[in-house]
Amino acid sequence: MENGGEGIDRLDQLPDHILHHILSFLDTKHSVQTSVLSNRWRSLWKNVTHLNFNRDSFTSYPCFSRFLKDALDAFGGDDSRIVKVSYKERNLWRRTHVRKFHGIMKYAKSHHIRHLRIHSGTSMRSNFWDLVGSFLNCDLDTLELGRVSVVAPLDWMGFRILENLAMEDCLLHCYSEKDIGFFTNFPCLKNLVLSDCDFVHAKKCFKVYGPQLLNLEIQGMNLQKAPVQIVAPKLKFFSYVFISVVPEFSQLSLPLLDHANIGSKYALHSVEEKKAMVTANFVNLFQGLHNATSLRLDYHIIQALSKICDGLEHQPCPFTRLKCLKVPCSEESCTIPPQLINYFLKGSSTTNPAAFLQFV
């Protein structure tokens, strides 16, 4: 990188601690490769705070395996600065590869790693218990999972100090005869994000109980018509993005809710014979969100609500603190039926629809 044609290397002008931070975002393989740039760069990679192991960065698994061992040895000292470890491996479902991954878990436990990210890069989901079952009671406060299969509640034992959990494209099993809350064993959990996950066993109730939960985001989750119960007495932010069907919210207890975001990945189709069910599901949802001061509804939701305006018109509006209704639509053609606006304005202290409704 040059400055004014004088041949000044701007990157090389940065202080060491900034370069350490930048290298922490790279694959560990690429971070190590910077050691050949100059004498100054020879040891910079040893001060990264994030180990990022990605099988796709290597031509063969033996090469990846050897590099993994050498890297863990290099960062194995008692004064290790590592706070986060990421691991992505396309064949993580294979037994031999799982045994190699156990080296990561052993390292994480012995070095008190606080942040762990595990991602299986293919359509074959790895079993979470196989990966971490023998390394429970870790010091993790943040766990990110991608394409793994989890069984409740067994798999969550040993993660009672976890504060942040993010799951993407995971399979959630519930084998018990009773309705078991899938996220009930996290007394310290503050942030939960579920993206494009599948919930197995449609007859079960999908429960989230979070005594310390502050933020909950659920997007594109396939619940297979399972009722939803969410009890989070301290929750401040709630986001739910449907796939195509409005779930049945049998219980929503969110007494301290401030902001809510409701959306849909696709247009919601409410045929005539299902309008009553769709209306009831939306009414139950809004009753659970009644403490929100700010509500964001995407345009697919607005379109679905527009089809059931006659059903909502005679329903009491549960919102008592709502100050603004946000609709993400920049086109001038975006319109909202007056009956729908009146429904949300019923319980609001705002009397000016122009100030209440915000297109963002």
Side-chain angles (χ1 to χ4, degrees), residues 329-340:
C329 185
S330 58
E331 300 179 8
E332 295 182 358
S333 58
C334 293
T335 57
I336 299 180
Q339 308 97 300
L340 191 56

Side-chain angles (χ1 to χ4, degrees), residues 221-351:
M221 187 165 179
N222 183 9
L223 294 172
Q224 301 184 11
K225 299 181 181 180
V228 179
Q229 292 184 8
I230 300 174
V231 178
K234 295 184 179 181
L235 196 75
K236 295 292 186 180
F237 175 78
F238 177 65
S239 177
Y240 202 116
V241 179
F242 315 135
I243 297 179
S244 59
V245 178
V246 186
E248 176 191 344
F249 292 92
S250 58
Q251 183 181 12
L252 272 179
S253 180
L254 313 172
L256 296 183
L257 184 68
D258 278 333
H259 306 287
N261 172 53
I262 305 299
S264 174
K265 284 195 167 187
Y266 312 103
L268 297 173
H269 300 287
S270 54
V271 294
E272 193 66 32
E273 60 269 20
K274 293 184 178 180
K275 286 179 66 174
M277 180 190 70
V278 173
T279 303
N281 288 348
F282 269 119
V283 169
N284 287 339
L285 171 60
F286 292 146
Q287 286 176 345
L289 305 179
H290 71 277
N291 282 314
T293 59
S294 171
L295 177 63
R296 178 186 174 107
L297 303 177
D298 78 12
Y299 203 59
H300 282 156
I301 298 296
I302 294 296
Q303 290 175 318
L305 292 173
S306 298
K307 298 176 182 179
I308 59 172
C309 274
D310 52 344
L312 289 177
E313 195 171 9
H314 303 291
Q315 293 283 344
C317 180
F319 295 100
T320 57
R321 300 173 59 221
L322 197 61
K323 296 180 180 178
C324 64
L325 176 64
K326 299 180 180 181
V327 180
C329 185
S330 58
E331 300 179 8
E332 295 182 358
S333 58
C334 293
T335 57
I336 299 180
Q339 308 97 300
L340 191 56
I341 299 177
N342 291 335
Y343 167 76
F344 287 107
L345 277 171
K346 283 180 183 179
S348 174
S349 59
T350 303
T351 56

Side-chain angles (χ1 to χ4, degrees), residues 152 156 172 174 178-186 192 194 199 204-210 213 216 218 221 223 226-231 250-251:
W156 296 137
L172 313 180
C174 188
K178 298 179 180 180
D179 291 340
I180 294 179
F182 210 92
F183 301 96
T184 58
N185 290 346
F186 300 105
L192 175 61
L194 305 173
F199 179 60
K204 307 300 179 185
C205 181
F206 183 77
K207 297 180 182 179
V208 176
Y209 172 67
L213 202 60
L216 174 60
I218 303 176
M221 187 165 179
L223 294 172
V228 179
Q229 292 184 8
I230 300 174
V231 178
S250 58
Q251 183 181 12

Side-chain angles (χ1 to χ4, degrees), residues 25-318:
F25 288 94
L26 302 180
D27 279 359
T28 301
K29 173 186 176 181
H30 300 148
S31 176
V32 172
Q33 288 174 337
T34 63
S35 62
V36 303
L37 295 178
S38 68
N39 289 335
R40 184 195 176 195
W41 285 81
R42 185 169 299 169
S43 299
L44 285 175
W45 61 274
K46 296 180 181 179
N47 293 288
V48 297
T49 57
H50 175 193
L51 293 181
N52 189 349
F53 300 111
N54 188 344
R55 164 65 180 87
D56 293 338
S57 298
F58 295 82
T59 56
S60 68
Y61 184 76
C63 290
F64 173 62
S65 181
R66 286 194 297 270
F67 178 83
L68 181 63
K69 180 181 182 303
D70 293 342
L72 292 182
D73 289 342
F75 290 99
D78 294 336
D79 60 343
S80 174
R81 303 183 183 183
I82 306 302
V83 296
K84 178 181 178 181
V85 176
S86 296
Y87 190 93
K88 183 176 181 181
E89 216 270 85
R90 67 181 75 161
N91 293 318
L92 198 50
W93 52 274
R94 292 182 176 176
R95 291 293 178 182
T96 54
H97 293 216
V98 169
R99 286 196 292 269
K100 178 62 67 174
F101 173 78
H102 283 174
I104 289 287
M105 288 305 303
K106 184 177 180 180
Y107 176 89
K109 188 169 184 177
S110 63
H111 288 77
H112 307 287
I113 301 300
R114 307 302 301 273
H115 189 159
L116 181 64
R117 182 178 183 270
I118 308 170
H119 196 288
S120 179
T122 63
S123 58
M124 294 290 292
R125 291 183 175 93
S126 305
N127 291 322
F128 184 64
W129 184 258
D130 291 341
L131 297 176
V132 304
S134 58
F135 297 94
L136 298 179
N137 299 311
C138 294
D139 294 330
L140 294 176
D141 60 29
T142 301
L143 178 62
E144 299 179 58
L145 300 175
R147 298 207 61 80
V148 299
S149 180
V150 183
V151 178
L154 179 65
D155 282 358
W156 296 137
M157 296 172 60
F159 292 91
R160 296 184 63 81
I161 67 170
L162 202 68
E163 294 186 2
N164 309 288
L165 175 62
M167 303 180 69
E168 178 185 1
D169 199 10
C170 292
L171 195 61
L172 313 180
H173 295 271
C174 188
Y175 290 129
S176 173
E177 293 298 324
K178 298 179 180 180
D179 291 340
I180 294 179
F182 210 92
F183 301 96
T184 58
N185 290 346
F186 300 105
C188 300
L189 194 65
K190 295 180 180 179
N191 302 289
L192 175 61
V193 178
L194 305 173
S195 301
D196 301 317
C197 296
D198 289 338
F199 179 60
V200 179
H201 294 293
K203 294 182 180 179
K204 307 300 179 185
C205 181
F206 183 77
K207 297 180 182 179
V208 176
Y209 172 67
Q212 303 298 327
L213 202 60
L214 299 178
N215 301 286
L216 174 60
E217 300 179 45
I218 303 176
Q219 176 174 317
M221 187 165 179
N222 183 9
L223 294 172
Q224 301 184 11
K225 299 181 181 180
V228 179
Q229 292 184 8
I230 300 174
V231 178
K234 295 184 179 181
L235 196 75
K236 295 292 186 180
F237 175 78
F238 177 65
S239 177
Y240 202 116
V241 179
F242 315 135
I243 297 179
S244 59
V245 178
V246 186
E248 176 191 344
F249 292 92
S250 58
Q251 183 181 12
L252 272 179
S253 180
L254 313 172
L256 296 183
L257 184 68
D258 278 333
H259 306 287
N261 172 53
I262 305 299
S264 174
K265 284 195 167 187
Y266 312 103
L268 297 173
H269 300 287
S270 54
V271 294
E272 193 66 32
E273 60 269 20
K274 293 184 178 180
K275 286 179 66 174
M277 180 190 70
V278 173
T279 303
N281 288 348
F282 269 119
V283 169
N284 287 339
L285 171 60
F286 292 146
Q287 286 176 345
L289 305 179
H290 71 277
N291 282 314
T293 59
S294 171
L295 177 63
R296 178 186 174 107
L297 303 177
D298 78 12
Y299 203 59
H300 282 156
I301 298 296
I302 294 296
Q303 290 175 318
L305 292 173
S306 298
K307 298 176 182 179
I308 59 172
C309 274
D310 52 344
L312 289 177
E313 195 171 9
H314 303 291
Q315 293 283 344
C317 180

